[in-house]
Amino acid sequence: RVGDGQGLGRRVRMGLAMREASVETKMGDVPDGPDPLELVQGDMRRLKRKIKAVIDRNLGSGGETHPLLKSSSKDFFERSEKTWRPTVVLLLGQALSQSLPVEERAAYMDDCMVLAEIVEIMHTSTVIHDTVLEDFDSLEKGNPAHVIYSSSVAGNKISILSGDFLLARASVLLSSLRNTQVVEIMAGALEAIMTGQMGLHRPSGGLTTDNYIRTVEDRTSKLLASGCLCAALVAGHKADSEVAMDAERVGMKLGTAYQITRDMIMTEKNYEKLWKKINGCVDRGDEVVFDQYEINEPLQRASCLIYVLEHDAEMRNRVESEGGFKDVEQLLSAREAIESTNAVGVMRGMAEDSATDGIRALKSVPEGDAREALSMLAHYVVQPSQDRLQRVNYKEGGYVAPKEDKDSKSRMWGTQLAKAKKGARFGLFSTISAKVGEKITAAGLKNRLGSLGGGKAKRKADE
């Protein structure tokens, strides 16, 4: 969809380590306009104080907070990413309030504050549940509960209880709105989240981009869409009205655009773990061991890889029949196919299409700073590295663009892939002919290749 000549923007380099792929962008640079995060700054401080009070005072029985529950939950409310989801609900509320009588606006915004709190709490509960460790995971991949207990079993129990507590808190907040229609809609969002979470690693219906998008809509977009729809309903609009349907569409499309982009970033981070281990083992001559979970980690949330598998029948059959990649060489081949199929460009195009649809849906929202800020936020969520959603990039004076040598990182990626493929070809780690988990040291490999005799074998050994 990107390579068919329909791109309307300029050419840019990706902000991921997939930077060698130059793609067309329809949305271009972030336009000038009100900063969405700054426009609701006061409301967001108030919202965070409310949530913090819940965690600090009411997270345990008898009004006293269990320290493990407190530590486990608080960690997520102080995460590195800006709380942009409730920002969408509050901005939409600000825009819709302009059509209400002046004397009703304050009460309406109070209800929008509750909806924003519900959206953030429900999202955070799923983040906490995501940190439940598998049997093969190390404690470092967990949350503070795992560290405090030094146990994945105990840490998992606390994580589940913490997430469940937040869902219970969201239910209490829903009841305070005294609107059964809103309760039903948000309950449906929770059901969608659980369905989507179950399809996180393998979308139901097979590894296709259509199924992937449906999973994204369930596990991410539906919650925000429901919060936006409820904001319209509380403002007095009927569910089948143009305003209500457009409000829901704004949330759905922004949520989808964000998650597609985010999943691309996470896929690359998973690959970077692989590069780090490969390079470290090669440089130090350590034993090189890759287990099946480690090899298949990049396949999680992997929109670009799913696109590749959709266009490579042989690779797809292998992944589906074997339950993932069998060895590092297969994984590296898939990573190379991401470049050759322009998967980054295609998925970025899908994310931008979704964000553009979200901007179009704002047509029913009253004009003003809040509406313009929502349009700005649509640009924020599809930035290749989502820099404007990261707290570290904000100082007292506002947003400060991070300094990054993208050309240098692009060259680094090319070097890493070449190095990794060479290691796979020479049998430095699990190859097609070797079992997953085979241990081969660099020194042992050199001796093994050198013993074959001849100048060619010696050159291979040296490499």
Side-chain angles (χ1 to χ4, degrees):
R1 111 164 38 200
V2 174
D4 59 5
Q6 296 178 3
L8 304 178
R10 61 185 182 82
R11 295 188 71 79
V12 299
R13 283 197 174 276
M14 292 300 296
L16 311 176
M18 302 177 183
R19 293 179 178 88
E20 290 184 317
S22 169
V23 301
E24 293 286 347
T25 172
K26 299 178 182 179
M27 300 185 70
D29 291 329
V30 177
D32 293 331
D35 187 331
L37 301 169
E38 184 177 342
L39 205 58
V40 296
Q41 196 172 58
D43 288 334
M44 288 305 301
R45 285 174 181 161
R46 178 182 162 201
L47 182 146
K48 289 180 180 179
R49 283 197 299 268
K50 289 177 64 179
I51 295 177
K52 187 175 186 299
V54 171
I55 293 177
D56 288 348
R57 294 195 297 271
N58 300 320
L59 197 51
S61 59
E64 290 295 327
T65 302
H66 190 296
L68 293 173
L69 287 171
K70 178 178 178 180
S71 178
S72 180
S73 294
K74 186 176 179 181
D75 177 69
F76 291 94
F77 287 110
E78 297 176 354
R79 56 184 179 271
S80 60
E81 187 177 78
K82 288 278 191 177
T83 47
W84 69 274
R85 293 171 184 82
T87 296
V88 173
V89 177
L90 290 172
L91 285 173
L92 186 63
Q94 286 184 12
L96 294 176
S97 69
Q98 300 306 305
S99 60
L100 296 175
V102 175
E103 63 273 14
E104 295 179 12
R105 293 178 185 178
Y108 169 68
M109 286 308 300
D110 285 342
D111 287 343
C112 285
M113 176 68 74
V114 173
L115 288 170
E117 187 178 354
I118 290 169
V119 167
E120 180 63 12
I121 286 177
M122 289 178 68
H123 165 70
T124 302
S125 72
T126 65
V127 175
I128 293 177
H129 284 157
D130 276 348
T131 61
V132 170
L133 299 178
E134 303 289 351
D135 292 340
F136 53 84
D137 284 331
S138 64
L139 290 178
E140 289 74 17
K141 292 184 66 175
N143 59 45
H146 295 100
V147 176
I148 294 172
Y149 261 125
S150 298
S151 165
S152 61
V153 175
N156 283 350
K157 289 180 179 179
I158 297 299
S159 299
I160 293 171
L161 289 172
S162 298
D164 288 351
F165 166 81
L166 293 175
L167 290 177
R169 172 61 180 169
S171 299
V172 172
L173 288 170
L174 274 173
S175 66
S176 71
L177 293 173
R178 301 182 183 278
N179 187 319
T180 55
Q181 189 178 20
V182 169
V183 172
E184 183 178 350
I185 290 170
M186 296 308 296
L190 178 58
E191 181 182 14
I193 289 172
M194 300 310 163
T195 301
Q197 288 294 99
M198 288 187 285
L200 177 63
H201 304 302
R202 294 290 189 278
S204 59
L207 294 170
T208 68
T209 51
D210 285 343
N211 290 331
Y212 164 75
I213 294 298
R214 279 194 289 271
T215 299
V216 165
E217 290 176 346
D218 281 341
R219 68 183 171 93
T220 298
S221 313
K222 182 69 173 178
L223 174 61
L224 185 55
S226 298
C228 291
L229 172 59
C230 290
L233 297 180
V234 174
H237 299 281
K238 293 184 178 180
D240 59 354
S241 68
E242 183 180 14
V243 172
M245 289 189 292
D246 279 348
E248 183 178 23
R249 189 170 181 80
V250 168
M252 181 67 77
K253 294 302 180 179
L254 263 61
T256 301
Y258 164 85
Q259 197 60 55
I260 292 174
T261 306
R262 186 64 185 166
D263 285 354
M264 291 169 68
I265 295 173
M266 294 307 299
T267 300
E268 195 60 19
K269 285 184 177 179
N270 286 333
Y271 264 108
E272 285 173 355
K273 293 178 186 177
L274 184 68
W275 306 146
K276 185 176 181 180
K277 182 167 183 175
I278 288 174
N279 290 336
C281 292
V282 171
D283 293 340
R284 296 189 305 270
D286 293 343
E287 292 181 338
V288 184
V289 184
F290 292 93
D291 60 44
Q292 58 182 330
Y293 307 109
E294 193 172 16
I295 289 176
N296 283 298
E297 193 171 22
L299 194 57
Q300 299 174 11
R301 311 173 188 243
S303 58
C304 292
L305 274 174
I306 290 173
Y307 178 81
V308 168
L309 296 177
E310 197 173 27
H311 292 77
D312 188 327
E314 181 181 353
M315 188 180 296
R316 177 177 176 173
N317 291 335
R318 186 166 60 233
V319 168
E320 290 184 337
S321 63
E322 298 178 1
F325 295 110
K326 185 175 67 174
D327 50 50
V328 174
E329 190 166 48
Q330 289 182 3
L331 182 60
L332 294 175
S333 296
R335 181 61 184 80
E336 192 172 31
I338 288 176
E339 304 295 336
S340 63
T341 60
N342 192 30
V344 172
V346 172
M347 296 313 300
R348 178 164 170 75
M350 288 186 179
E352 290 196 343
D353 284 347
S354 187
T356 301
D357 286 345
I359 292 174
R360 291 196 189 105
L362 291 170
K363 67 183 186 301
S364 301
V365 176
E367 293 183 5
D369 284 350
R371 172 172 144 172
E372 193 174 349
L374 281 168
S375 181
M376 293 280 291
L377 194 54
H379 286 80
Y380 285 14
V381 299
V382 293
Q383 281 188 298
S385 294
Q386 295 181 331
D387 291 333
R388 287 181 179 266
L389 298 181
Q390 306 304 314
R391 295 185 189 279
V392 68
N393 296 327
Y394 284 83
K395 310 300 180 186
E396 291 185 4
Y399 172 74
V400 178
K403 295 181 180 179
E404 186 175 45
D405 184 355
K406 294 181 180 179
D407 289 337
S408 173
K409 290 194 175 183
S410 178
R411 291 191 299 272
M412 181 181 68
W413 147 243
T415 301
Q416 288 173 329
L417 180 60
K419 189 173 185 178
K421 288 180 66 179
K422 183 181 291 184
R425 190 168 65 251
F426 289 167
L428 184 58
F429 34 79
S430 302
T431 63
I432 292 175
S433 60
K435 294 181 180 179
V436 171
E438 180 180 1
K439 298 181 179 180
I440 307 174
T441 65
L445 174 68
K446 184 173 181 178
N447 290 334
R448 188 171 71 180
L449 290 173
S451 66
L452 297 177
K456 187 174 181 180
K458 184 178 185 305
R459 285 195 299 274
K460 281 190 175 183
D462 288 340
E463 289 190 67

